[in-house]
Amino acid sequence: MEMNEVQKWIKHFYGERGWADYNPFIRVGFLMEETGEVARAVRSYEIGRDRPDESTQSQDQLRHNLIEEIGDVLGNIALLADLYGISLDEAFTAHKQKLLDRFNS
């Protein structure tokens, strides 16, 4: 899927459930929550978790969880961008140009 197609799909899917209607401050809160879950998934994947109240997961399960959490972050980024009329393609193009300008001087 192309980035703009992903963004449209996310907006539609979340929109059908009323999840796309949150204001930018709430959306940023969700983004921060999901970013924390990515951090926890990376920690679990890389060094594990030593908690007796949690079951041990295989590397495949840990990887799958990391993939899902990264997807949750992408979904929130897509919705936040959409709130401001910014396409993911536009955001990536600007990011790429900024890096090229900064590091290819």
Side-chain angles (χ1 to χ4, degrees):
M1 241 186 213
E2 296 292 323
M3 283 194 290
N4 284 341
E5 291 175 35
V6 168
Q7 189 170 7
K8 287 177 189 175
W9 186 90
I10 289 168
K11 182 179 180 181
H12 175 75
F13 187 86
Y14 280 57
E16 283 185 326
R17 289 151 181 81
W19 301 343
D21 299 332
Y22 296 115
N23 72 48
F25 297 105
I26 292 173
R27 182 57 53 204
V28 167
F30 287 143
L31 175 59
M32 293 302 99
E33 179 182 346
E34 295 301 343
T35 302
E37 291 176 12
V38 168
R40 181 179 179 183
V42 167
R43 177 186 174 202
S44 296
Y45 188 88
E46 293 297 331
I47 64 173
R49 291 180 53 84
D50 187 17
R51 292 193 44 174
D53 60 336
E54 293 180 359
S55 61
T56 303
Q57 295 181 317
S58 70
Q59 282 300 110
D60 285 342
Q61 291 169 316
L62 293 170
R63 184 175 187 278
H64 181 76
N65 184 54
L66 179 57
I67 290 167
E68 286 182 346
E69 297 303 343
I70 289 172
D72 291 345
V73 168
L74 289 173
N76 278 282
I77 289 288
L79 290 171
L80 185 62
D82 192 69
L83 285 171
Y84 291 98
I86 300 168
S87 74
L88 292 178
D89 281 333
E90 180 182 16
F92 179 76
T93 298
H95 175 68
K96 178 181 175 183
Q97 190 60 53
K98 176 180 78 174
L99 292 175
L100 291 173
D101 291 347
R102 186 177 293 165
F103 294 102
N104 285 334
S105 302

